[in-house]
Amino acid sequence: MGRLLLSLAATIPLVAFASFPLQMSVAEMAAAADHVLVVHVIGVDMVDRNGLPVLDDQARTGPGLNNVIRLHVAVDETLITTAERVPERLLVPLDPLMHYSLGQIRSVHQNDATLRLLLLKGTDFSILMPSIFFLPLQDKDEVLRAHEAAHR
C-alpha cells in the first residue's frame, strides 16, 4: 500500500504540470525572435482542424479538441525584423491545448487597445512556442538590449 501511495504521489507533479503553459525568459524570447513588433488586438476568431470558422462562443479548445483560437493583431510599429515587409495584420494562434472558450477570449479582448510587444520567428511570422509571444510594452528596452546581445 505504501508503494502505491508513493507511486501516485510521484506522478501528481507530472500530471499537474501537463496543463501549464511553457515559459521562456525575456532574454530567451528576444534571442529566439526574428521579429519584434508593437501590436494591438483587433479581433478574435476560432477555426476547426479543417480551417473552417467556428462561430459558437461556447466552443472550446483543449486536449482532444481540434479547435484553435486566433488573435487578429494590427502592427503599429516594427522594432526588429528580418523580413523585407511586415504584414499590417497578423493571426496569432493561442495554444490549442489550453482550456479556453471562444467567448471567453473574445470578452478579454473586446475593445482592447492595449499596445503589446509581439515576438515572432521565421518568414511565416510564427509564434516562438505555444502561448509565448506577447510581452508588455514596458519591456521594450530590455527586449531590444537582449536581442542585440544575442545577435552580435
Side-chain angles (χ1 to χ4, degrees):
M1 181 66 159
R3 286 186 180 176
L4 176 62
L5 290 176
L6 185 59
S7 295
L8 286 174
T11 61
I12 288 173
L14 297 175
V15 173
F17 286 116
S19 63
F20 283 107
L22 301 172
Q23 296 193 9
M24 292 175 81
S25 70
V26 171
E28 290 170 326
M29 290 177 71
D34 294 317
H35 317 282
V36 179
L37 312 170
V38 177
V39 302
H40 67 278
V41 177
I42 57 172
V44 177
D45 76 357
M46 179 185 275
V47 292
D48 66 15
R49 75 175 130 227
N50 298 315
L52 299 173
V54 176
L55 304 175
D56 180 5
D57 274 350
Q58 301 304 312
R60 301 194 62 79
T61 61
L65 302 174
N66 293 303
N67 298 323
V68 176
I69 295 175
R70 305 179 303 184
L71 301 178
H72 296 242
V73 299
V75 177
D76 295 291
E77 184 180 356
T78 301
L79 301 174
I80 295 170
T81 189
T82 57
E84 288 184 28
R85 187 181 83 71
V86 175
E88 292 179 15
R89 298 197 167 142
L90 293 163
L91 294 174
V92 180
L94 299 184
D95 185 348
L97 297 179
M98 297 302 292
H99 297 276
Y100 299 124
S101 74
L102 177 58
Q104 172 190 15
I105 301 303
R106 277 188 175 152
S107 70
V108 166
H109 292 288
Q110 184 176 15
N111 302 317
D112 182 5
T114 305
L115 293 178
R116 298 173 171 90
L117 294 176
L118 175 61
L119 287 78
L120 301 171
K121 65 181 180 181
T123 58
D124 60 348
F125 295 86
S126 59
I127 58 175
L128 302 176
M129 291 178 70
S131 297
I132 297 178
F133 43 82
F134 280 146
L135 286 173
L137 190 57
Q138 66 207 34
D139 289 349
K140 175 180 167 181
D141 291 338
E142 181 182 357
V143 168
L144 294 177
R145 278 192 305 273
H147 188 275
E148 182 180 337
H151 292 96
R152 286 186 191 166

